[in-house]
């Protein structure tokens, strides 16, 4: 399983998570990687949008969010048109499955890491554009009453 966070400056942080993830693991990831990365790329306070994965909404992590000075925004389920990370997973998938298919887990990991480098060096404008067009996409979703726009 992989963890992904995208920043308004177009950078993407992608990390492989080993084993079954529980709230305690996410809390450690949040404190050791997510918060420092947000502070480095955005500043001391920020808004964080996550999907509704169980470990993101577990009661045990709520106090950690409050203590971090990072505002975690409630996010509607099934909203891929608005979720920037869903767009990044599409870029990753397109890259990984273009051309020769990975033959094993090691090759798959290598391709995923390659695409993270490609995004961070060549596609930052694309990612920052997703942030810049968020309001327009939100309006389209509202007009369609929540239905998929793309």
């Amino acid at each position: 399983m992989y963890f992904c966070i995208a920043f308004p400056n177009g950078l993407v942080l992608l990390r492989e998570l080993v084993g079954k993830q529980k709230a305690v693991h996410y809390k450690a990831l949040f404190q050791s990687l997510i918060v420092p990365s947000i502070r480095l790329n955005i500043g001391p306070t920020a808004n964080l949008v996550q999907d509704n994965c169980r470990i993101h909404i577990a009661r045990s992590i709520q106090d950690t969010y409050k203590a971090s000075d990072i505002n975690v925004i409630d996010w509607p389920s099934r909203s891929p048109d608005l979720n920037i990370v869903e767009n990044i997973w599409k870029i990753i998938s397109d890259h990984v499955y273009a051309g020769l298919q990975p033959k094993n887990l090691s090759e798959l990991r290598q391709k995923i890491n390659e695409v993270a480098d490609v995004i961070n060096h060549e596609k930052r404008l694309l990612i920052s554009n997703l942030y810049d067009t968020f309001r327009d996409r939100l309006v389209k979703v509202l007009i369609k009453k929540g239905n998929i726009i793309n």
Side-chain angles (χ1 to χ4, degrees):
M1 178 188 325
Y2 277 81
F3 164 82
C4 180
I5 187 170
F7 299 102
N9 63 8
L11 287 175
V12 170
L13 176 63
L14 194 65
R15 291 288 183 271
E16 182 178 9
L17 304 177
V18 179
K20 182 174 176 158
Q21 297 300 299
K22 296 183 179 182
V24 66
H25 301 114
Y26 186 68
K27 181 178 180 177
L29 181 73
F30 186 82
Q31 292 172 324
S32 67
L33 182 66
I34 298 171
V35 171
S37 297
I38 288 173
R39 293 216 167 102
L40 178 66
N41 286 282
I42 298 173
T45 60
N47 293 319
L48 177 64
V49 174
Q50 307 180 104
D51 59 23
N52 289 314
C53 175
R54 286 183 181 207
I55 61 174
H56 295 168
I57 60 174
R59 284 190 189 138
S60 60
I61 191 85
Q62 299 304 313
D63 289 337
T64 305
Y65 293 153
K66 289 176 188 164
S68 72
D69 290 328
I70 293 173
N71 181 35
V72 178
I73 297 172
D74 290 333
W75 195 250
S77 58
R78 295 188 234 170
S79 54
D81 288 315
L82 301 176
N83 189 333
I84 291 170
V85 171
E86 291 299 331
N87 290 276
I88 294 167
W89 289 131
K90 171 82 168 93
I91 294 168
I92 291 169
S93 177
D94 289 350
H95 177 84
V96 166
Y97 294 107
L100 294 174
Q101 302 297 299
K103 294 181 184 125
N104 53 47
L105 189 56
S106 178
E107 286 183 12
L108 177 61
R109 286 180 176 129
Q110 181 180 346
K111 283 194 126 187
I112 291 170
N113 291 329
E114 284 172 7
V115 73
D117 288 341
V118 168
I119 291 170
N120 285 329
H121 292 102
E122 300 171 20
K123 298 191 181 222
R124 285 181 66 179
L125 187 59
L126 175 67
I127 304 306
S128 61
N129 187 49
L130 290 170
Y131 278 93
D132 294 342
T133 61
F134 182 81
R135 186 175 303 249
D136 294 338
R137 289 182 287 124
L138 179 59
V139 168
K140 287 178 184 177
V141 167
L142 291 172
I143 289 169
K144 289 218 159 202
K145 298 181 180 173
N147 289 324
I148 295 175
I149 61 174
N150 291 324

